[in-house]
């Protein structure tokens, strides 16, 4: 799970604690990601706080089949890196921001196109769910908006294109999940070049073995 609560300081921290507590109570039910988000959203309606909501990606990994079930409640859409030669895909193929074409490096870096309402805003919200069928060597990158919205001294944002370039231009970064995280954070830090960080920069990387 990767979540981001609206607002700052104590109110956001208290709401994050509330969400975390509800999630812990729901975890024992082993619900699919879309159902878990729907139930979490319903429970937040019973504890509704003005102007508070949370965006969240929820995923369940199945090691025996190398599949990932994924649902999204308003969070940043993750990236999926796979070899063009790999027989990998989804039940609903994710759209490739580069037009579905492989790069000269033999990689396809695509955005996993799944959306949904943030949690805590609307009652009875339903969520779309994808099942991604992966192959060894595939990489999935989940990240907060603080990564792509990071700004340099000129006010430019790091953006998804630069993030994609990091994944394409540093083959060694795909050798392990930790190496991928390190390469992305180093690229963001170099881009900001000492400017103040105004938001969290959170990454969760999954590399298929």
């Amino acid at each position: 799970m990767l979540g981001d609560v609206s607002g700052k300081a104590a109110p956001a921290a208290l709401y994050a604690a509330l969400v975390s507590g509800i999630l812990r109570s729901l975890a024992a039910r082993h619900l699919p990601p879309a159902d878990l988000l729907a139930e979490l959203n319903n429970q937040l309606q019973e504890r509704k706080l003005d102007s508070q909501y949370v965006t969240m990606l929820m995923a369940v990994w199945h090691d025996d089949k190398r599949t990932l079930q994924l649902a999204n409640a308003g969070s940043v859409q993750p990236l999926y890196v796979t070899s063009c030669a790999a027989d990998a895909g989804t039940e609903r193929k994710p759209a490739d921001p580069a037009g579905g074409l492989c790069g000269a490096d033999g990689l396809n870096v695509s955005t996993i196109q799944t959306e949904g309402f943030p949690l805590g805003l609307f009652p009875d919200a339903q969520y779309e769910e994808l099942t991604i069928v992966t192959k060894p060597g595939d990489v999935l990158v989940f990240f907060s908006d603080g990564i792509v919205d990071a700004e340099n001294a000129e006010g430019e944002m790091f953006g998804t294109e630069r993030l994609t370039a990091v994944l394409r231009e540093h083959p060694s970064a795909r050798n392990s999940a930790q190496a991928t995280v390190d390469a992305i954070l180093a690229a963001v830090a170099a881009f900001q070049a000492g400017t103040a960080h105004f938001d969290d920069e959170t990454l969760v990387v999954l590399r298929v073995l």
Side-chain angles (χ1 to χ4, degrees):
M1 180 274 288
L2 178 65
D4 194 1
V5 174
S6 62
K8 304 288 184 183
L14 290 172
Y15 198 67
L18 170 64
V19 172
S20 178
I22 297 173
L23 273 173
R24 289 179 183 276
S25 69
L26 291 175
R29 295 170 58 182
H30 300 286
L31 297 170
D35 293 346
L36 193 150
L37 289 179
E39 181 61 26
L40 175 57
N41 180 69
N42 289 338
Q43 293 204 26
L44 287 174
Q45 300 302 314
E46 301 171 6
R47 305 163 174 82
K48 199 168 182 65
L49 300 176
D50 290 341
S51 302
Q52 290 294 147
Y53 63 90
V54 58
T55 60
M56 184 176 293
L57 276 165
M58 180 66 63
V60 175
W61 172 254
H62 299 276
D63 203 43
D64 54 340
K65 300 178 181 178
R66 293 196 187 99
T67 60
L68 188 79
Q69 287 177 278
L70 176 71
N72 190 356
S75 189
V76 183
Q77 295 174 331
L79 294 180
Y80 177 37
V81 186
T82 186
S83 168
C84 296
D87 183 21
T90 65
E91 291 182 352
R92 185 170 68 81
K93 186 178 180 181
D96 185 347
L101 299 176
C102 292
D105 51 10
L107 292 177
N108 188 333
V109 183
S110 58
T111 299
I112 300 175
Q113 301 278 358
T114 179
E115 300 176 343
F117 291 114
L119 303 168
L121 291 179
F122 305 106
D124 302 318
Q126 299 298 309
Y127 295 92
E128 178 185 24
E129 186 173 299
L130 294 179
T131 298
I132 302 172
V133 182
T134 69
K135 295 293 183 184
D138 288 355
V139 173
L140 296 109
V141 183
F142 307 88
F143 53 96
S144 67
D145 54 4
I147 295 291
V148 289
D149 291 348
E151 294 184 358
N152 62 12
E154 287 72 40
E156 298 175 306
M157 289 187 177
F158 187 73
T160 304
E161 289 186 5
R162 288 186 176 89
L163 178 54
T164 298
V166 173
L167 297 171
R168 287 190 177 280
E169 294 171 4
H170 298 274
S172 61
R174 295 189 299 275
N175 291 337
S176 75
Q178 185 62 58
T180 303
V181 169
D182 293 343
I184 293 172
L185 292 180
V188 172
F191 176 79
Q192 290 179 303
T195 58
H197 295 208
F198 66 91
D199 203 357
D200 67 279
E201 296 165 5
T202 305
L203 287 163
V204 177
V205 173
L206 170 69
R207 183 177 183 273
V208 182
L209 301 177

